[in-house]
Amino acid sequence: MNIVAEMLTQPAPMAIWAALMLLTLPALVVLASPHNVRNPGRALIDTVGFLRRRAEKRDELRQRRLDEAVQAVRYADEIQVAADQAGYAAQRWQGHWEAADAAVDATWEAWQAADARWARGRATAAFGTPYAARTTHEYAYRERFLHRAVQEAAGRGELPAEAVADALSGRNGWDARLHPAEQELVVQRVSAGYLARVYERAVADERAAWRDALGARRNRDSLAHEAVVAQARAAVVEHLIPAPRVTTRGAFRPAFA
């Protein structure tokens, strides 16, 4: 019993037993059927064909599993790259939204400050404008005052750049003949209106940036989940992929070389 157990457990005896079984297989096939006994040559040919077809199917199955494993590992790598890129994109969109949100606060404060200046200007204008003789020099001064007031307001971002060209040309309600106090009130009114529109655009931009950031985060989370699933699937089948051959040429160098 110990000798039989040792023969069945040791690698060399097992190989010998497998070879003997393979050699005796044709004889067993022939003796298994009376038809095979009468025509042993045909039986051997059929047996060889059966074994060949079985080996081919086994090779096809092994190759199909190998191809599926390679595809699973490749997909896991690709989806991981896509998930990483989606993470970077989500961070960028988050930064865009934070900048847009800060712009909303800044434009709100600028609008409220301009509206408060306009309210103080209206309160001051209720007392009337100081008298000034309408001479050529006075109108030249008023024109210079208007141009300077509009340019300074545009430089502070309280008026659009095109307002300077309109003021220089006397278009779109800019009247250089008005008293400087009245001109200043006009500048304050137009500035308040302009900054209100800037705030409204900032709010719309912030909402759009929020939608973009939310969509980017959803895409990031979806790809991250898909990457985890793909990595788990790849881990199950990656053992089917043979390891790349490592050449030993040049690996050993004598100490005296």
Side-chain angles (χ1 to χ4, degrees):
M1 180 64 68
N2 294 334
I3 297 175
V4 175
E6 183 178 358
M7 293 179 65
L8 293 177
T9 55
Q10 295 299 323
M14 290 182 63
I16 296 174
W17 276 102
L20 292 175
M21 293 179 63
L22 181 63
L23 292 175
T24 58
L25 179 61
L28 294 175
V29 173
V30 172
L31 297 176
S33 172
H35 174 73
N36 295 340
V37 173
R38 290 191 297 269
N39 193 354
R42 173 56 60 183
L44 291 176
I45 293 175
D46 294 342
T47 301
V48 172
F50 170 77
L51 294 176
R52 182 184 297 110
R53 290 191 298 272
R54 185 174 181 180
E56 292 175 352
K57 290 182 179 179
R58 185 170 59 251
D59 293 341
E60 291 177 358
L61 178 60
R62 185 183 299 109
Q63 185 62 41
R64 184 167 64 251
R65 290 178 177 175
L66 175 60
D67 295 340
E68 292 175 352
V70 171
Q71 293 177 1
V73 172
R74 181 184 299 113
Y75 177 74
D77 294 339
E78 293 175 351
I79 200 66
Q80 184 61 53
V81 172
D84 294 340
Q85 294 177 348
Y88 299 145
Q91 292 178 359
R92 291 194 298 270
W93 283 113
Q94 179 69 19
H96 293 332
W97 171 75
E98 292 176 357
D101 185 63
V104 169
D105 295 337
T107 54
W108 166 263
E109 294 177 358
W111 172 34
Q112 293 303 304
D115 195 67
R117 287 193 298 270
W118 183 30
R120 291 193 298 269
R122 293 197 305 271
T124 302
F127 296 98
T129 57
Y131 172 77
R134 298 184 178 184
T135 62
T136 304
H137 294 288
E138 175 64 21
Y139 283 121
Y141 167 75
R142 293 183 180 185
E143 185 177 18
R144 291 193 302 271
F145 180 88
L146 175 62
H147 296 168
R148 184 174 63 255
V150 173
Q151 290 174 351
E152 290 176 353
R156 295 189 300 269
E158 299 172 0
L159 287 176
E162 56 268 20
V164 177
D166 292 339
L168 294 175
S169 302
R171 298 190 304 262
N172 295 329
W174 297 107
D175 188 358
R177 297 170 299 177
L178 296 177
H179 190 277
E182 296 175 330
Q183 292 179 357
E184 188 173 2
L185 186 62
V186 172
V187 171
Q188 293 171 351
R189 175 178 57 82
V190 176
S191 296
Y194 170 70
L195 292 177
R197 294 189 298 271
V198 171
Y199 167 74
E200 293 174 355
R201 289 196 299 268
V203 171
D205 293 341
E206 186 271 338
R207 291 175 180 173
W210 171 255
R211 290 192 297 268
D212 293 336
L214 183 61
R217 288 197 296 271
R218 289 175 177 172
N219 185 53
R220 176 202 60 192
D221 296 341
S222 176
L223 288 174
H225 174 72
E226 182 64 22
V228 171
V229 175
Q231 291 291 344
R233 293 175 179 172
V236 174
V237 298
E238 63 181 355
H239 69 279
L240 299 175
I241 303 176
R245 294 182 179 179
V246 178
T247 177
T248 58
R249 180 179 300 176
F252 173 77
R253 295 180 62 87
F256 54 82

